[in-house]
């Protein structure tokens, strides 16, 4: 019912976002092959799991095609994290 603990670190010099989510053993956004999801995106290149820190802490990377403005918010019932990326001009 809640989104748990999370951290998103934007690294504009590397065109990526490093994120970790604590308190989960799976991450539904990364189930299966996600490459087709981003083939039409002008912002996101790929998303992949970098490592499992422990059984309930996942670190993942969002590779970007360009620099962005980012907003992150959490929503309850059901618990989820919403990441919005806006291309910088």
């Amino acid at each position: 019912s809640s989104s748990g603990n999370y951290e998103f670190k934007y690294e504009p010099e590397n065109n990526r976002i490093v994120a970790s989510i604590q308190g989960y053993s799976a991450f539904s956004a990364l189930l299966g092959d996600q490459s087709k999801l981003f083939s039409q995106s002008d912002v996101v290149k790929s998303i992949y799991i970098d490592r499992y820190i422990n059984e309930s802490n996942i670190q993942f990377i969002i590779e970007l095609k360009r620099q962005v403005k980012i907003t992150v918010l959490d929503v309850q019932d059901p618990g989820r994290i919403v990441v919005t990326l806006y291309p910088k001009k």
Side-chain angles (χ1 to χ4, degrees):
S1 64
S2 69
S3 58
N5 297 316
Y6 59 89
E7 178 180 40
F8 284 74
K9 181 181 175 188
Y10 177 40
E11 299 177 350
E13 68 279 2
N14 296 321
N15 277 346
R16 72 180 190 168
I17 299 165
V18 178
S20 67
I21 299 177
Q22 302 165 8
Y24 295 94
S25 58
F27 184 43
S28 63
L30 296 176
L31 294 176
D33 180 11
Q34 300 294 316
S35 60
K36 291 180 184 175
L37 270 177
F38 304 109
S39 63
Q40 300 297 317
S41 174
D42 62 342
V43 177
V44 177
K45 185 176 187 178
S46 66
I47 297 178
Y48 60 89
I49 293 177
D50 183 39
R51 63 188 171 120
Y52 289 93
I53 297 168
N54 58 42
E55 61 195 34
S56 65
N57 192 347
I58 300 168
Q59 181 170 304
F60 63 97
I61 306 292
I62 303 172
E63 294 284 351
L64 303 168
K65 295 178 179 176
R66 58 195 293 186
Q67 290 189 353
V68 297
K69 291 173 66 177
I70 178 174
T71 61
V72 179
L73 64 101
D74 58 276
V75 181
Q76 296 182 354
D77 293 322
R80 60 198 182 277
I81 300 167
V82 179
V83 179
T84 306
L85 304 173
Y86 304 95
K88 280 191 172 180
K89 296 183 178 194

